[in-house]
Amino acid sequence: MKTQVAIIGAGPAGLMLGHLLRAEGIDCIVIERASGDYILGRIRAGVLERVTTDLMDRLDLGARMHKEGLPHDGFNLADGERLIRIDIAALTGKQVMVYGQTEITRDLMDAAPSRGLEVIYDADDVALHDIEGDAPFVTFTKDGKEQRIDARFICGCDGFHGPSRQAIPASVGKPFELVYPFGWLGILADVPPCNHELIYANHDRGFALASMRSPTRSRYYIDVPVTEKVEDWSDDRIWDELATRLGPDAAAHMTRGPSIEKSIAPLRSFVFEPMQHGSLFLAGDAAHIVPPTGAKGLNLAASDVTYLSDALIGYFKRNDRDGVAGYSTKALARVWKSERFSWSLTKLMHRFPNDGPFERRVQVAELAYIASSEAAQISIAENYVGLPL
Ligand code: RFL
Ligand code: PHB
């Protein structure tokens, strides 16, 4: 097979990129290891920045998102005593959209056939070849048969564990990494949310987040040591912990119910530089990971593929080589700002095992400062809603 752009990975980054290229008539094929059902079973992001909702609108795929998604004007930080409301709409003139990654992915997947976007699922042993030249190719096995796709460029949208980043020689790439001593235990349940807006809580017993997917479906998280096993957390134990950490007001409005999904996600900050080498480009989690506290992972995937598709469209339509040459520099500038924000919100809202009374007093002071300063609230709001492209 031959195409202009071979895209590895059919998560949000790969599918959004594929649609953006197809909308301009550029040939591409997406190669994915998992099945479509498996991908739709993963419960991940819930909060979309304007960059992401604009991208779905640009693709003319935003209709269901606008119908079923929940636009939010603000969110809350809880410090054990009070709720500090960050009024995003008043402070920035923008909103965020609560609409699950599962739903975005479904919208992108469903539209693929009618938009001429070919996605090959269940592809085993995906490997990249000749990325340093201008005729790279991808091999994989499908239904027991070896296949080869020749392309002008390969885009690695294959998440943190995929093969694309690994194809860049160690002498060229530099990873920056911070691993946190806890993970987020998440629970999804068909019960109404305890609050109409998200609550991020820093309590003596640890972090908690009250989020949602719809007026009848809630998503909650607590932080737990990385050594913890999900089997040791019964639904009742999680609900009790949430009620304590989120505080009496939220607890009074919290409806308990059986979990329909329960999992622990480790927290990590990671950036790989550069995000390109030869004819290979990285986008989304393949190039960077943020702790979920800032709700930035999926949104960074959307900004990466916006930059990358512009560069590739310039290359194929106008023979412009500057866009592709400058992709990594452009994308990394925004990535590092989101990394900083996600890291700082994680530091503010979690109790780190090695922190002592000094660090705790600094957290208390910072929360008090945020509560009393519009300048501090604007800074948080403009980062949370998403910095401009
Ligand atoms: P994905 O979604 O991991 O997709 C990568 C795809 O590549 C495939 N793949 C391969 N394909 C072929 N061959 C191989 N060898 C392959 N290896 C892997 C995989 O099967 C997969 O389909 O990466 P992508 O597209 O870059 O998207 C990134 C987002 O998924 C991620 O950043 C977000 O989910 C992060 N995230 C959040 N982001 C937000 O913007 N807002 C949020 O509120 C938010 N909450 C979260 C999150 C992530 C979480 N977890 C579980 C990590 C909450 C959680 C709990
Ligand atoms: C979610 O609803 O899954 C969610 C919301 C906000 C975050 C992280 C996850 O910061």
Side-chain angles (χ1 to χ4, degrees), residues 44-47 184 198 200 209 211-213 219 221 292-295 384:
R44 289 186 168 183
V47 178
W184 277 18
L198 272 65
Y200 295 80
L209 168 60
S211 181
M212 66 199 72
R213 289 291 176 274
R219 179 71 166 158
Y221 300 92
T293 326
Y384 194 82

Side-chain angles (χ1 to χ4, degrees), residues 62-377:
R64 195 166 71 96
M65 174 182 77
H66 288 294
K67 188 159 159 266
E68 296 176 16
L70 309 170
H72 278 200
D73 285 341
F75 69 98
N76 303 277
L77 301 176
D79 66 357
E81 282 171 24
R82 64 193 148 176
L83 283 189
I84 306 167
R85 180 162 188 269
I86 308 294
D87 191 334
I88 307 171
L91 296 165
T92 70
K94 295 182 194 156
Q95 294 174 310
V96 290
M97 176 76 88
V98 172
Y99 188 65
Q101 177 167 336
T102 314
E103 306 311 321
I104 286 263
T105 310
R106 191 189 302 280
D107 294 339
L108 293 162
M109 257 184 196
D110 286 353
S114 65
R115 306 279 176 100
L117 175 61
E118 185 180 352
V119 185
I120 301 171
Y121 289 99
D122 302 304
D124 291 324
D125 308 320
V126 174
L128 297 83
H129 308 271
D130 290 356
I131 57 165
E132 281 165 359
D134 57 9
F137 62 100
V138 178
T139 55
F140 58 95
T141 312
K142 167 89 180 162
D143 301 327
K145 279 198 220 97
E146 172 131 344
Q147 311 262 4
R148 168 174 169 151
I149 299 180
D150 290 276
R152 173 63 192 88
F153 294 112
I154 300 176
C155 295
C157 301
D158 44 359
F160 186 65
H161 300 286
S164 297
R165 192 178 64 253
Q166 263 96 39
I168 299 181
S171 56
V172 173
K174 186 166 166 53
F176 298 82
E177 184 167 36
L178 198 70
V179 176
Y180 299 84
F182 37 73
W184 277 18
L185 168 58
I187 183 171
L188 186 72
D190 276 329
V191 292
C194 67
N195 191 50
H196 69 290
E197 290 176 345
L198 272 65
I199 305 174
Y200 295 80
N202 179 337
H203 184 270
D204 284 340
R205 292 185 59 85
F207 171 83
L209 168 60
S211 181
M212 66 199 72
R213 289 291 176 274
S214 75
T216 56
R217 181 168 282 191
S218 299
R219 179 71 166 158
Y220 289 97
Y221 300 92
I222 52 172
D223 77 326
V224 294
V226 273
T227 46
E228 212 72 3
K229 293 203 167 30
V230 74
E231 303 77 61
D232 294 332
W233 284 86
S234 66
D235 289 0
D236 281 341
R237 186 176 172 207
I238 299 176
W239 290 117
D240 287 346
E241 198 62 41
L242 281 165
T244 308
R245 296 187 190 188
L246 288 167
D249 242 29
H253 294 98
M254 200 168 81
T255 311
R256 299 177 182 224
S259 63
I260 47 178
E261 197 266 354
K262 200 159 45 172
S263 54
I264 297 178
L267 262 62
R268 183 193 305 272
S269 293
F270 176 86
V271 180
F272 187 86
E273 293 187 358
M275 289 172 59
Q276 67 191 93
H277 178 62
S279 295
L280 169 66
F281 302 96
L282 303 178
D285 280 14
H288 42 71
I289 297 286
V290 284
T293 326
K296 290 281 165 256
L298 169 60
N299 295 303
L300 272 183
S303 60
D304 285 354
V305 299
T306 304
Y307 294 138
L308 183 52
S309 60
D310 285 351
L312 292 170
I313 291 162
Y315 179 91
F316 286 113
K317 296 218 138 170
R318 300 187 300 278
N319 204 20
D320 167 10
R321 281 153 198 263
D322 293 345
V324 285
Y327 163 68
S328 175
T329 305
K330 198 167 185 179
L332 281 170
R334 193 169 190 277
V335 165
W336 274 111
K337 288 179 193 153
S338 288
E339 289 283 347
R340 184 211 66 81
F341 177 66
S342 305
W343 166 85
S344 72
L345 206 56
T346 303
K347 293 283 279 180
L348 176 66
M349 299 310 291
H350 293 73
R351 306 287 172 104
F352 285 66
N354 292 332
D355 279 0
F358 182 87
E359 286 84 356
R360 179 63 199 133
R361 286 286 195 282
V362 169
Q363 279 188 341
V364 171
E366 188 171 345
L367 285 161
Y369 167 59
I370 294 165
S372 65
S373 161
E374 192 180 74
Q377 291 179 16

